[in-house]
Amino acid sequence: MPLRPVHVNIKALDAAAVGRFWAEALGWSAYSAGVTTYVGPAGGLVWPDPVVLGIDVVPVPEPRTATKNRVHLDLATTSAAHQAELVARLRDLGATPARVGQGEVPWTVLADPEGNEFCVLEPREVHRDTGPIAVVVVDCADPRAMARFWGGATDWTLHEVTDDHAVLRSAEGVGPYLEFLRTPGVKTVPDRVHLDLLPYPGDDQAAEVARLRALGATDLDLGQGDVPWTCLTDPEGHEFCVLAPS
């Protein structure tokens, strides 16, 4: 059975601080049961969450070196006033303006305390029911190829595909969208942000990894050693992990 995206993985020098930022930004809670800081809806940790993609902030010793991440989050707003209020609140929390060549656009581009870019979108009807994270955006060269791979890798439904972008969302019609956006440039350094996927209960992790390799995924050695998850890259080199069923 295809895999389900369960959270966005962010690497950080100070995982606790970046986790606190994202918890405050999204109105969620930060949970630090181990070395990572997991950010999910308030009210008690439920994982995997049936609706949202949480954020798992993982401590790493290396600082960010990319001029622009190839994966970023878009945040939803409900009105122009909400957008302005959210931008101001995020600035107070430590976000800074970011220039990524966006020009004059109706959304606001910011960076979290360690420089990871994200966007605060103007209100859009399509995002009225996504929750605070509207879209996970992946820069790519070929959205159609990405749609084929990720559509086969996950249980998410393809909503739209053109030469310029492809959009998927949970087949349940809940949570954020996943968008592959045709973008100049190529991936040259490891991503600071990536998706983690999880098999469904009863499914075999090794069989799922083999299926992903057949779809075009490649094994990735980041020096992770003997861990219960498997690191792979998609056909354009974006890292992702297949977690072990709990």
Side-chain angles (χ1 to χ4, degrees), residues 150-235:
W150 284 90
T154 72
D155 62 350
W156 284 23
T157 298
L158 182 64
H159 281 245
E160 183 179 0
V161 60
T162 70
D163 289 341
D164 293 321
H165 75 282
V167 180
L168 296 89
R169 194 186 192 193
S170 164
E172 302 297 325
V174 296
Y177 290 84
L178 175 61
E179 180 177 13
F180 295 93
L181 185 65
R182 187 170 185 172
T183 308
V186 296
K187 186 175 179 297
T188 58
V189 298
D191 290 324
R192 297 291 279 190
V193 183
H194 70 256
L195 285 172
D196 284 343
L197 311 181
L198 181 71
Y200 280 90
D203 286 352
D204 182 78
Q205 182 189 20
E208 285 300 308
V209 169
R211 187 177 64 82
L212 292 171
R213 292 190 187 108
L215 289 172
T218 303
D219 290 291
L220 176 67
D221 185 357
L222 293 171
Q224 64 268 25
D226 186 14
V227 292
W229 58 88
T230 301
C231 299
L232 300 168
T233 61
D234 72 13

